[in-house]
Amino acid sequence: MNFFRGVMGGQTAGPQPTGAETIQKLCDRVASSTLLEDRRDAVRALKALSKKYRLEVGTQAMDHLIHILQTDRSDSEILGYALDTLYNIICNDEEEEQDESEDMMASPHIPVSGRNKIVPVPDENTQKQEEDLGVLFTEKFLRDSESVTLLLTLLEEFDFHVRWPGVKLLTALLKNQCSQVQGVILVSPMGVSRLMDLLADSREVIRNDGLLLLQHLTKGNAAIQKIVAFENAFERLLDIITEEGSSDGGIVVEDCLLLLLNLLKNNSSNQNFFKEGSYIQRMKPWFEVGDDNSGWSAQKVTNLHLMLQLVRVMVSPGNAPGASSSCQKAMYQCGLLQQLCTILMATGVPADILTETINTVSEVIRGSQTNQDYFASVNAPSNPPRPAIVVLLMSMVNERQPFVLRCAVLYCFQCFLYKNQKGQGEIVATLLPSTIDANSISAGQLLCGGLFSADSLSNWCAAVALAHALQDNLTQKEQLLRVQLATSLGKPPVSLLQQCTNILSQGDKINRRGSKVQTRVGLLMLLCTWINNCPIAVTHFLHNQENVPFLTGQISENLGEDERLVQGLCALLLGICIYYNDNSLENYTKEKLKQLIEKRIGKENFVEKLGFVTKHELYSRAAQKPQPVFPSPEQMLFDHEFTKLVKELEGIITKAVHKSSEEEKKEEEVKKTLEQHDSIVTQYKDLIRDQDAQIQELKEQVSTLSMNNEQMQTQITQQQSQIQQHKDQYNILKLKLGKDPQGPFTQGEGAQVNGLNTEELGQLREEVEELRRQHTLLHTQLSEKDTLINTLRSGTAESQTADMAAGGSVDTERLRELELLRSQVQSQCAEISQLQTERQELIRRAEATPLAPSSGSSADDAKAAELESRLAAQNTETERLKEECRGLRERCAGLEQQLATAQSTVAIEQTEKAKLQQDVQESKKEQDDLLMLLADQDQKILSLKQKLKDLGETVDEDEEDDLDARDLDEDEDDD
């Protein structure tokens, strides 16, 4: 520290060292000091001098500071000083001096001359020199790419005094040499990932500066943008925006939105990733506004403006068509479009936000039929409700509205009609006589009012809007020819087409050099769009005898620079009349119009005037993008869609004008031939299409029939198998029953019987024999089982008690008697049957034989009486035996019930006996276990007594006997 006191301390005698000398000594100190404290103090002094002596410190100390970053990484304090010093000499921003006590204490007092005390007012030259100096030191720092890699490594340090200066230094490097630093970070392993970790830092200062760093890092580098996006940047940034309050947040929300714009603009991959990640749905809450929208802060306006730009980036017309359409669909489905329309119709919204919202809604609905239909259904909250389109058109034709707002409304109307033939028809329908409602204002009325108003900008906007209602729609071009306008009282109405040409000619007579140029350009663009590719409209235009002379007069004159554009558009309009002329008017056929051009204008002069359109500087500006963006109303001359039409027609019209009549005839012949060829081709195409349809229908029929055929084949196969099974069963039955007595099998069919040969018959016979043997065996087994059952029943009966045995013997005797009686009954029944048969025979004979003498008849009567008496006796005996049999059966049933009861009682007793036996076994087992335990205990007691004796203790034998006696008594009690 003596060095600092002597060189940089208080006032000492002698000449004072200059700033460069002091810095040189400090650099020597940094390079040569072995103590970390000395190097730290020297670097701190360099930091204090780095702003005032930026050139000297940067020139002399940069290499030493980089060396400090490499060697002294263990000390965060010296690293922080070194990073701050490098930042001061590289950064070009004008920042306020920070009052840090430690820096003030460490800063040496260096006397300066009066020249150095004067603070110069920064001018352009000074600022340029500062920027050049920053770029110079940045290039010096980047000579070795390892310096950037080292800086990325230091960013992993969590210490605030290292990480924050490192973030600021890397940001300054990106500002001065963005592409070179981006290249180093891109090839550095985990370079972008380390920077993304800054967004997760809990210290807001580092996180916010990390946002600024990523903003500069992602500028113009698609590869880094993709890496940042796939490092979950969208999720983190949207979370920060939500945490900070969305549109009501501060500058941090603005930084997040700027970074999102960098990631998504002109990057289709990131846009697709943003859409697929369902991040569009998270944008909807940003645009929720209340009823009271007054008093918005400037920061809220900025945030909401950036949010609207972010929506526009996703649906920009410059994106791939498929990408924009999918985003438009997602915005409608999640309700984002509805939310934007709410802002559009809300009151109190700032003008610039309203303008940007209109532009955003325009691009969200552009080319999307669903979104366009929804927008057409939106009504303004007025009484009575009016369509949003009408309200917007009222602003467009109102000259008191801001210019940018009127441009935005025109763009919205153009996007609403873009590829929307339904919307075009609805707009044109409001101009037709049959649909005009006198009680309400329609879009058509507003367009006509703007078209014929005194404001040239309203004329131009209305003409362009009406041209978009006719773009690529032949039907609406023809429908618009029906529109009639009442110009003044007492005069007949004129067509809209004629009124446009009247305004053109009158405006030319009134003022050729004033603001009416804008009006005439708008009307000419409308007429060119209207009659393009519409021969009927061309005929209507040429039918007015004043139109062609007016156009030729405009083209042939030599006018000033401002009028050249009008001349070029008149030439374009006349060229369209030539190219799409169907020669229905004799005075204005193609050939006569070309002759008129050649006589009054000259073909070369005509083509030259036609070329004035594309050579105009405003033409190139309008051709760049669909949105009408102009610095001032006077420069609003061309429409984007019209520039594409001019580019398409210029070459065609030039060729058409230069063609001779013979070439025209040849071309007509070729055209007719081509048309015939096309008609033939169309017929063949229709024929082929019909044949294709028939072939497809026949294919379907064939497919159906094939399926039916397969089903039928399956059924036939199944039926054949069933028939074969039935045949086999039939043959087997025949074999069982033997041969048919009628002998259906002839001698010649011996080898083949019903499709079965002799071998198969032999096999079937063997199978039948086998089945018979099995049947016999089963019968034998069944008999054995019955015998076994009877044996078991008899054994069960014998095992009953003595009383039951006695009762059983009685029952057995009675059963025997019953069987005997049954046999007697059966014999008697047989005898009765025999007697009845004899009786019937006798009765039959008696009826068949004539009456005999009385002696014979009396003998027969006696015999019959005897038989009848015997029969009656037998019947009586039979009834008696039946009664006895019934009684015996009842008694037998009672005995069987008693037997079942006794068997159940025996089963219950046996179960209880088994349970008691099991309990006895368990008790015996427990007693054995107790005896074992007692034996073990006695053994332990004996061993303990023996140990006591061995130790010299006296053991009372009486006590031992008492214990034994007590144990014995307990054992007896247990027994």
Side-chain angles (χ1 to χ4, degrees):
M1 294 301 295
N2 292 330
F3 170 77
F4 294 106
R5 295 191 186 95
V7 177
M8 303 168 58
Q11 299 291 335
T12 58
Q16 299 297 323
T18 63
E21 293 174 350
T22 303
I23 291 168
Q24 180 62 45
K25 291 179 180 179
L26 290 172
C27 292
D28 294 340
R29 191 73 172 177
V30 171
S32 60
S33 295
T34 57
L35 293 177
L36 179 61
E37 291 79 4
D38 292 343
R39 292 197 302 276
R40 187 189 303 128
D41 292 337
V43 174
R44 184 163 53 205
L46 287 172
K47 174 190 171 185
L49 297 172
S50 57
K51 291 186 178 180
K52 192 171 186 179
Y53 297 97
R54 181 182 179 189
L55 177 61
E56 291 80 1
V57 174
T59 305
Q60 301 181 36
M62 180 175 287
D63 294 335
H64 298 294
L65 294 173
I66 295 174
H67 184 69
I68 288 292
L69 298 179
Q70 295 172 346
T71 56
D72 291 331
R73 294 182 58 181
S74 59
D75 185 69
S76 60
E77 191 174 358
I78 193 172
L79 288 177
Y81 292 147
L83 292 170
D84 281 332
T85 307
L86 289 170
Y87 172 73
N88 290 337
I89 62 178
I90 288 175
C91 181
N92 293 321
D93 295 339
E94 294 292 333
E95 296 181 355
E96 296 181 357
E97 295 290 336
Q98 298 178 357
D99 293 330
E100 297 181 3
S101 58
E102 58 178 6
D103 291 346
M104 295 296 294
M105 293 176 61
S107 300
H109 176 72
I110 302 179
V112 294
S113 61
R115 179 171 52 102
N116 292 331
K117 290 181 181 179
I118 299 174
V119 179
V121 178
D123 55 9
E124 293 183 1
N125 293 331
T126 305
Q127 185 66 25
K128 186 69 169 66
Q129 291 176 0
E130 292 291 330
E131 291 177 0
D132 293 342
L133 201 59
V135 173
L136 178 66
F137 289 139
T138 301
E139 291 176 352
K140 184 177 180 181
F141 185 86
L142 295 176
R143 285 175 187 171
D144 186 3
S145 61
E146 292 297 325
S147 301
V148 179
T149 305
L150 175 63
L151 187 57
L152 292 173
T153 306
L154 293 176
L155 289 179
E156 294 181 348
E157 295 288 338
F158 187 74
D159 192 284
F160 180 81
H161 296 90
V162 176
R163 202 171 204 186
W164 187 39
V167 172
K168 294 193 296 180
L169 175 58
L170 189 56
T171 305
L173 293 172
L174 284 166
K175 288 181 181 178
N176 295 332
Q177 291 289 342
C178 185
S179 59
Q180 190 174 354
V181 179
Q182 285 175 338
V184 177
I185 294 175
L186 193 59
V187 299
S188 177
M190 302 295 292
V192 178
S193 300
R194 293 170 181 170
L195 300 180
M196 285 299 298
D197 292 340
L198 298 174
L199 298 182
D201 201 303
S202 58
R203 295 160 293 192
E204 292 188 0
V205 176
I206 295 178
R207 184 198 67 184
N208 298 343
D209 283 347
L211 287 171
L212 298 175
L213 168 61
L214 290 171
Q215 283 181 29
H216 293 286
L217 179 65
T218 54
K219 280 183 180 178
N221 193 307
I224 292 180
Q225 290 170 1
K226 291 179 183 179
I227 296 173
V228 171
F230 282 95
E231 286 286 344
N232 205 23
F234 294 139
E235 185 75 26
R236 297 185 185 181
L237 292 174
L238 293 174
D239 288 342
I240 294 173
I241 291 172
T242 304
E243 292 170 2
E244 295 291 330
S246 297
S247 60
D248 294 323
I251 190 69
V252 177
V253 174
E254 180 182 348
D255 292 336
C256 291
L257 293 171
L258 289 171
L259 179 54
L260 284 171
L261 285 172
N262 282 352
L263 295 175
L264 293 173
K265 196 170 185 178
N266 299 324
N267 194 318
S268 58
S269 175
N270 284 1
Q271 290 174 5
N272 185 60
F273 182 64
F274 191 84
K275 176 181 67 69
E276 295 296 335
S278 300
Y279 297 118
I280 291 177
Q281 287 79 347
R282 296 186 60 178
M283 297 166 68
K284 180 189 173 184
W286 296 351
F287 304 102
E288 294 178 354
V289 294
D291 297 332
D292 185 14
N293 296 310
S294 60
W296 284 17
S297 64
Q299 186 62 55
K300 181 174 182 177
V301 172
T302 303
N303 291 344
L304 203 55
H305 197 274
L306 291 172
M307 290 172 178
L308 291 169
Q309 286 186 3
L310 193 62
V311 176
R312 293 185 64 185
V313 164
M314 297 299 296
V315 292
S316 173
N319 296 343
S324 293
S325 61
S326 59
C327 291
Q328 289 171 335
K329 182 179 179 181
M331 289 177 183
Y332 173 75
Q333 291 176 344
C334 74
L336 180 57
L337 174 59
Q338 293 85 329
Q339 204 68 46
L340 293 174
C341 291
T342 303
I343 298 176
L344 200 65
M345 296 291 105
T347 57
V349 178
D352 51 349
I353 293 298
L354 181 60
T355 302
E356 190 64 21
T357 303
I358 294 173
N359 289 327
T360 306
V361 171
S362 306
E363 294 182 353
V364 173
I365 67 174
R366 188 176 190 270
S368 174
Q369 188 65 52
T370 304
N371 294 4
Q372 289 167 341
D373 292 343
Y374 171 77
F375 183 71
S377 66
V378 175
N379 290 323
S382 59
N383 192 14
R386 290 176 177 171
I389 297 173
V390 173
V391 176
L392 292 175
L393 288 177
M394 292 172 67
S395 301
M396 186 185 74
V397 298
N398 187 352
E399 57 183 314
R400 291 190 297 271
Q401 293 293 337
F403 172 64
V404 291
L405 179 62
R406 298 174 73 181
C407 291
V409 173
L410 175 61
Y411 183 47
C412 184
F413 192 73
Q414 292 173 350
C415 292
F416 169 68
L417 297 177
Y418 181 72
K419 294 183 179 180
N420 183 11
Q421 294 192 354
K422 178 183 176 183
Q424 290 175 328
E426 292 173 352
I427 297 298
V428 173
T430 59
L431 287 165
L432 299 178
S434 59
T435 58
I436 292 177
D437 185 4
N439 298 324
S440 62
I441 300 175
S442 65
Q445 294 173 0
L446 290 171
L447 292 176
C448 282
L451 193 63
F452 306 127
S453 71
D455 180 30
S456 61
L457 184 59
S458 296
N459 301 153
W460 189 91
C461 291
V464 171
L466 198 54
H468 276 263
L470 306 174
Q471 193 78 35
D472 299 328
N473 196 327
L474 182 61
T475 303
Q476 303 310 323
K477 290 177 182 179
E478 296 175 356
Q479 287 291 322
L480 199 62
L481 294 172
R482 298 169 48 201
V483 177
Q484 300 289 321
L485 302 175
T487 56
S488 60
L489 293 175
K491 292 185 178 181
V494 297
S495 66
L496 178 61
L497 184 66
Q498 183 58 43
Q499 184 65 17
C500 291
T501 56
N502 293 340
I503 294 173
L504 272 176
S505 59
Q506 292 172 5
D508 179 65
K509 293 175 183 178
I510 295 172
N511 186 1
R512 289 188 175 183
R513 297 184 180 180
S515 60
K516 291 298 180 180
V517 172
Q518 191 175 42
T519 300
R520 286 186 288 159
V521 169
L523 290 172
L524 286 168
M525 288 194 298
L526 172 60
L527 290 173
C528 290
T529 305
W530 192 346
I531 70 173
N532 176 55
N533 197 21
C534 184
I536 299 176
V538 172
T539 303
H540 278 72
F541 181 79
L542 295 176
H543 193 269
N544 189 345
Q545 301 295 328
E546 297 178 358
N547 290 341
V548 174
F550 168 72
L551 293 178
T552 55
Q554 287 285 312
I555 300 169
S556 60
E557 291 183 6
N558 292 321
L559 302 175
E561 187 71 25
D562 294 338
E563 294 293 326
R564 285 187 175 182
L565 178 58
V566 176
Q567 287 183 316
L569 292 174
C570 289
L572 179 67
L573 183 59
L574 186 57
I576 294 172
C577 291
I578 294 173
Y579 186 73
Y580 290 104
N581 195 337
D582 58 359
N583 297 325
S584 59
L585 295 176
E586 185 178 355
N587 294 331
Y588 294 111
T589 61
K590 287 185 178 182
E591 187 59 32
K592 289 184 177 181
L593 287 175
K594 286 193 289 185
Q595 289 176 2
L596 187 63
I597 289 173
E598 189 172 1
K599 289 179 181 179
R600 295 190 179 182
I601 305 171
K603 292 183 178 180
E604 298 299 331
N605 190 23
F606 178 85
V607 173
E608 183 183 359
K609 296 293 177 67
L610 182 62
F612 287 162
V613 179
T614 55
K615 292 178 182 178
H616 202 281
E617 60 177 349
L618 296 179
Y619 174 89
S620 303
R621 182 181 298 178
Q624 292 176 0
K625 55 182 179 179
Q627 183 182 0
V629 179
F630 302 98
S632 63
E634 293 77 15
Q635 297 184 8
M636 198 169 185
L637 293 178
F638 283 104
D639 173 58
H640 177 76
E641 293 296 328
F642 182 74
T643 58
K644 295 195 290 187
L645 179 64
V646 172
K647 186 177 180 181
E648 177 186 349
L649 292 176
E650 184 179 9
I652 296 173
I653 292 172
T654 303
K655 291 180 181 179
V657 170
H658 283 292
K659 286 178 182 177
S660 62
S661 59
E662 295 179 358
E663 291 176 347
E664 284 286 342
K665 291 179 181 178
K666 290 181 180 179
E667 187 174 347
E668 288 293 333
E669 292 176 358
V670 172
K671 187 179 291 186
K672 289 180 180 178
T673 306
L674 290 175
E675 288 177 356
Q676 293 176 358
H677 181 268
D678 290 340
S679 64
I680 294 172
V681 170
T682 304
Q683 292 176 1
Y684 277 115
K685 284 183 178 178
D686 294 339
L687 179 61
I688 292 170
R689 194 177 295 111
D690 294 339
Q691 290 178 349
D692 286 339
Q694 292 176 2
I695 290 171
Q696 188 66 28
E697 185 178 355
L698 291 173
K699 284 183 178 179
E700 292 177 358
Q701 292 179 2
V702 169
S703 177
T704 305
L705 292 173
S706 298
M707 293 175 62
N708 293 335
N709 184 28
E710 290 178 359
Q711 293 177 359
M712 296 299 294
Q713 290 290 341
T714 305
Q715 292 178 2
I716 290 171
T717 305
Q718 292 176 355
Q719 291 176 357
Q720 287 178 349
S721 62
Q722 291 176 1
I723 290 169
Q724 188 63 37
Q725 290 177 1
H726 292 160
K727 284 183 179 181
D728 295 342
Q729 293 175 2
Y730 175 72
N731 293 327
I732 291 172
L733 290 173
K734 276 190 174 183
L735 292 173
K736 285 183 178 179
L737 297 174
K739 291 183 180 180
D740 191 352
Q742 295 181 0
F745 302 105
T746 60
Q747 187 68 26
E749 294 173 341
Q752 188 79 19
V753 181
N754 285 337
L756 299 175
N757 53 30
T758 54
E759 295 180 358
E760 293 176 350
L761 288 174
Q763 293 177 356
L764 290 174
R765 289 193 182 96
E766 292 176 358
E767 290 177 0
V768 169
E769 292 298 328
E770 181 66 26
L771 289 173
R772 286 176 179 173
R773 286 195 296 271
Q774 291 179 1
H775 182 70
T776 306
L777 180 61
L778 289 173
H779 271 291
T780 306
Q781 292 177 355
L782 183 59
S783 301
E784 293 176 355
K785 294 292 183 182
D786 290 338
T787 305
L788 180 60
I789 290 168
N790 293 328
T791 305
L792 291 174
R793 283 180 179 176
S794 62
T796 303
E798 292 174 357
S799 65
Q800 300 299 322
T801 58
D803 294 338
M804 293 295 294
S809 61
V810 174
D811 293 338
T812 304
E813 292 177 358
R814 290 181 177 176
L815 287 173
R816 289 176 181 173
E817 292 177 359
L818 180 62
E819 292 295 332
L820 180 61
L821 290 173
R822 282 178 180 173
S823 61
Q824 291 176 3
V825 168
Q826 289 177 357
S827 61
Q828 289 177 359
C829 286
E831 188 176 354
I832 289 169
S833 299
Q834 185 178 0
L835 291 173
Q836 287 177 346
T837 304
E838 291 177 357
R839 181 186 176 190
Q840 292 294 332
E841 182 66 23
L842 289 172
I843 291 171
R844 186 178 61 78
R845 288 179 181 178
E847 290 176 352
T849 306
L851 293 176
S854 58
S855 59
S857 60
S858 60
D860 290 337
D861 290 339
K863 188 175 181 180
E866 182 183 0
L867 290 173
E868 287 180 357
S869 62
R870 288 176 61 187
L871 179 61
Q874 291 291 337
N875 288 335
T876 304
E877 184 68 18
T878 301
E879 291 297 330
R880 185 182 64 78
L881 292 174
K882 285 182 178 179
E883 289 295 329
E884 275 188 35
C885 183
R886 190 178 297 110
L888 291 173
R889 284 176 181 172
E890 290 177 358
R891 188 171 181 181
C892 181
L895 292 174
E896 288 179 353
Q897 186 175 2
Q898 291 178 3
L899 176 63
T901 303
Q903 288 177 348
S904 62
T905 304
V906 171
I908 292 170
E909 289 178 353
Q910 287 180 351
T911 303
E912 291 180 354
K913 180 180 178 182
K915 186 175 180 180
L916 290 173
Q917 290 178 351
Q918 184 177 0
D919 292 341
V920 170
Q921 293 294 331
E922 290 178 356
S923 299
K924 287 183 179 180
K925 186 176 180 182
E926 288 177 359
Q927 289 178 359
D928 293 339
D929 293 339
L930 288 173
L931 290 173
M932 291 293 293
L933 288 173
L934 289 173
D936 292 340
Q937 187 176 4
D938 291 341
Q939 188 66 30
K940 288 180 181 179
I941 291 171
L942 292 175
S943 62
L944 289 173
K945 285 180 179 181
Q946 186 64 37
K947 287 181 180 180
L948 288 173
K949 289 179 180 180
D950 294 341
L951 292 173
E953 295 292 333
T954 57
V955 178
D956 193 354
E957 296 295 337
D958 295 335
E959 292 179 0
E960 181 180 356
D961 295 337
D962 292 338
L963 289 173
D964 294 338
R966 194 180 303 154
D967 293 339
L968 183 60
D969 292 339
E970 290 176 357
D971 292 340
E972 290 177 355
D973 292 338
D974 292 337
D975 293 337

